[in-house]
Amino acid sequence: MTVNEMQERIRALKTEKNVCVLAHSYQGREITEVADFRGDSYQLSVMAAKTDAETVIMCGVRFMAETVKILSPGKTVYLANPTAGCPMAEQMDRELIEGVKAQFPDYTVVCYINTTAELKTVCDVCVTSSCAVKVCSKIDNKNILFIPDCNLGKFVAGQLPEKNFKLLQGGCPVHAAITVRDVETAKNAHPGALLLVHPECVPAVAAAADYVGSTSGIMDFARKSEAKEFIIGTENSIAEHLQYDRPDKRFYTLSKKMVCENMKATTLPDLLNCLEGRGGEEITLDPDTLKKARHCIDEMIRLSE
């Protein structure tokens, strides 16, 4: 079966079975082409909740599928590849954070969306990379425990000097692996290009960027900018997607190291097998977890308005 034939089979099954397929922006082009929605994890969850599809398949990683289930508890939700996890989401568990909360009871616990459903149950507010500064600025408490990504936390703290941030040592190993030397190498190779990076990168890398923002923010900036060349400082698939979307511009990867193995775990055959009932994993969360995890997301929505 060719890629095109597999894609056509997937499209037919989606319609036949009333299935909504979500693809995170880090997925390969062959997957995003057949998805109903492509974007950042929380954005995808919101989109899925608004559809009349009875079943949702997430082509991404486990915490993303859990977020879909939290926002759409009445839908059947599948993770296309059950092995696709997220090292950052798995770095901290509920027991650890409960212990830290006991040590610092006067801190509001803010969790990045890149956390497990279980961990969200003991957090006060959830944030995405695009709304983190706004949400944290509206929290009444000046003391904030930001988890798990210390690089994103430092970026947010830098925008809000009036707040007192406490950070733990966690984060995305792919983004955190990028160094200032990588930046220098890329800029020397492409001196006329703007550098766009994700705030999960270390502060020194972010400081060298022309734009720092979420994955969607990076893509929007690149599409709308009058500049013609860009160095993309996030998962390398974004440079590829942008090159497809804007062939009149040039997009370069910041480093060949910026590849997420977990995002690349999901394949087009995985999606087809899930649709045919021969693969994937249904995401189930108990009522208590659904309720408590939803609370911190609802707080994010309230503070974002």
Side-chain angles (χ1 to χ4, degrees):
M1 186 177 287
T2 66
V3 170
N4 185 61
E5 289 171 338
M6 194 170 291
Q7 288 178 321
E8 288 305 309
R9 174 65 176 158
I10 287 170
R11 292 187 181 102
L13 285 171
K14 286 196 307 174
T15 301
E16 176 187 326
K17 297 187 175 185
N18 190 26
V19 174
C20 173
V21 173
L22 308 176
H24 189 270
S25 296
Y26 293 167
Q27 294 293 299
R29 193 71 179 188
E30 71 282 1
I31 293 175
T32 62
E33 286 179 344
V34 296
D36 295 286
F37 301 107
R38 179 185 87 183
D40 290 343
S41 60
Y42 177 68
Q43 174 190 22
L44 291 173
S45 301
V46 172
M47 290 174 175
K50 294 178 180 179
T51 71
D52 62 0
E54 299 172 353
T55 301
V56 180
I57 299 177
M58 168 59 76
C59 295
V61 297
R62 185 169 295 274
F63 84 81
M64 297 177 183
E66 290 182 341
T67 306
V68 174
K69 187 65 177 179
I70 292 168
L71 295 187
S72 300
K75 296 182 186 290
T76 301
V77 179
Y78 288 93
L79 178 62
N81 186 316
T83 71
C86 173
M88 172 162 48
E90 298 162 3
Q91 282 169 350
M92 299 175 189
D93 58 20
R94 177 174 177 167
E95 182 179 8
L96 171 66
I97 298 308
E98 284 181 327
V100 176
K101 286 175 65 177
Q103 295 179 52
F104 304 98
D106 56 337
Y107 278 70
T108 296
V109 182
V110 176
C111 67
Y112 192 16
I113 194 75
N114 298 39
T115 46
T116 65
E118 181 183 41
L119 184 51
K120 287 181 176 72
T121 64
V122 294
C123 297
D124 300 306
V125 187
C126 185
V127 295
T128 67
S129 54
S130 60
C131 76
V133 173
K134 182 177 183 180
V135 170
C136 288
S137 72
K138 292 190 174 183
I139 294 173
D140 290 335
N141 191 358
K142 72 173 184 177
N143 296 323
I144 295 175
L145 171 63
F146 191 101
I147 62 170
D149 194 304
C150 60
N151 292 321
L152 176 59
K154 288 174 184 175
F155 175 77
V156 177
Q159 314 299 308
L160 302 172
E162 70 277 13
K163 298 284 187 179
N164 180 28
F165 280 79
K166 185 170 292 295
L167 308 174
L168 301 184
Q169 199 63 33
C172 171
V174 175
H175 286 94
I178 301 306
T179 65
V180 172
R181 177 171 292 184
D182 292 321
V183 171
E184 293 170 349
T185 299
K187 284 190 169 184
N188 287 335
H190 312 291
L194 296 182
L195 175 62
L196 318 180
V197 309
H198 198 283
E200 291 174 17
C201 291
V202 298
V205 169
D210 297 288
Y211 173 82
V212 181
S214 66
T215 303
S216 292
I218 287 173
M219 297 183 81
D220 288 342
F221 183 96
R223 292 189 188 107
K224 296 174 183 178
S225 172
E226 294 183 0
K228 294 297 183 181
E229 294 184 280
F230 305 87
I231 299 167
I232 305 301
T234 189
E235 218 280 341
N236 287 344
S237 56
I238 299 306
E240 179 184 359
H241 292 317
L242 283 168
Q243 196 64 75
Y244 276 111
D245 296 341
R246 292 299 307 266
D248 57 314
K249 298 185 177 185
R250 295 297 303 275
F251 300 93
Y252 313 106
T253 58
L254 174 53
S255 169
K256 64 182 180 182
K257 296 182 293 187
M258 299 195 78
V259 176
C260 178
E261 295 178 355
N262 282 278
M263 282 293 185
K264 294 297 184 285
T266 303
T267 65
L268 197 64
D270 287 336
L271 175 54
L272 178 58
N273 287 336
C274 190
L275 279 163
E276 292 182 334
R278 296 184 287 107
E281 178 186 334
E282 182 178 355
I283 300 298
T284 59
L285 298 171
D286 64 80
D288 189 55
T289 298
L290 284 169
K291 179 181 178 180
K292 292 180 178 178
R294 177 65 189 254
H295 172 73
C296 70
I297 294 177
D298 285 341
E299 277 296 285
M300 173 178 70
I301 296 170
R302 182 181 70 83
L303 294 170
S304 294
E305 293 176 347

